[in-house]
Amino acid sequence: MLIAQITDLHIGTGNDIGAEDNYHRLLAVFETLSKLKRKPDVYIATGDLTEIGSVAAYKLLKQMIDEVNPGVPVLPCLGNHDVTENFKKVFGKTHIHEGFCQYSVDLGDVWLVVTDTHDETIHGGAFDEARADFLDRAIEEANGRPVLLAMHHPPFVTGIDWMGARNYEEPWLVQVRDVIKRHNNVKKIICGHIHRTMDRPFAGSSCIVSSATAAQVHLELAAITSSTADGRPLIVDEPPGFALHWWDGREFVTHHGVAGDFDVILEYHDRFRNVMRDVFHVPE
């Protein structure tokens, strides 16, 4: 199974939401993925689907999904820029349970669980007892099968303090961690929010953050304060990114990619077939 993760789309930032940069960056990601010989079986969009949560932006996103990926499911997760009520007006209530965008999907060998870590009033992550209970039950429903858990905010301290959690004892981090530690079948946790690629062990599992389809956050781990503006870059125009999570039957292997047209250095033509067979031991 091949699962494509897109995150932090931020559709709807300009007056003409059909011509804005983030719209074209997302189209570039879809185009890059469509050119793969092995195409994704499903997409997971891990939050910040829109910039301001407007109905118009959700309508545009739905139109893009319907036109660019016909027949391929795109499963949503909400982030701090999203507005649940407006999301429901366009995408319906299928993925909304107990007031939050949280649900599970049977993907065959893998059980997908999407949990909601957003609060429309704050930039950082949020969680509570009700969401913790839903997450606990959703993982239990896998009946021991491998679980892929998707959420918007990384449940750990990333080192980019102005974007993420600063303290491992933040209550919402503790709640997420406690639920996951109760289970041994959460194989991978996938997140967005930081607009950079990173990974780390978490609660007995493995957690990765994908780069955004929108612009990226500058890679800088030096401490930052609100009292001194030191001139550092904050947002940079790096290429739109995505992640591919390949389930090999035992574990997830995650690949990170960027969208765009790049010069081809070597192509696989007939004259290279013997090299593939004799050097790289590719089967006939």
Side-chain angles (χ1 to χ4, degrees), residues 184-202:
N184 60 9
N185 58 326
V186 179
K187 288 289 189 178
K188 178 79 73 173
I189 307 161
I190 61 174
C191 312
H193 185 62
I194 307 296
H195 292 230
R196 288 224 65 88
T197 299
M198 63 191 73
D199 66 270
R200 64 150 292 158
F202 180 79

Side-chain angles (χ1 to χ4, degrees), residues 148-166:
L148 174 65
L149 174 59
M151 63 181 71
H152 180 64
H153 296 85
F156 58 87
V157 177
T158 68
I160 304 178
D161 290 347
W162 65 280
M163 281 292 292
R166 297 179 179 87

Side-chain angles (χ1 to χ4, degrees), residues 198-212:
M198 63 191 73
D199 66 270
R200 64 150 292 158
F202 180 79
S205 185
S206 171
C207 187
I208 75 100
V209 180
S210 174
S211 54

Side-chain angles (χ1 to χ4, degrees), residues 38 67 85-86 127 135 140 167 183 200 207 223 235 258:
R38 174 68 168 91
E67 292 178 354
E85 288 304 313
N86 289 342
F127 216 57
L135 177 58
E140 283 286 352
N167 183 339
H183 305 274
R200 64 150 292 158
C207 187
I235 307 294
V258 297

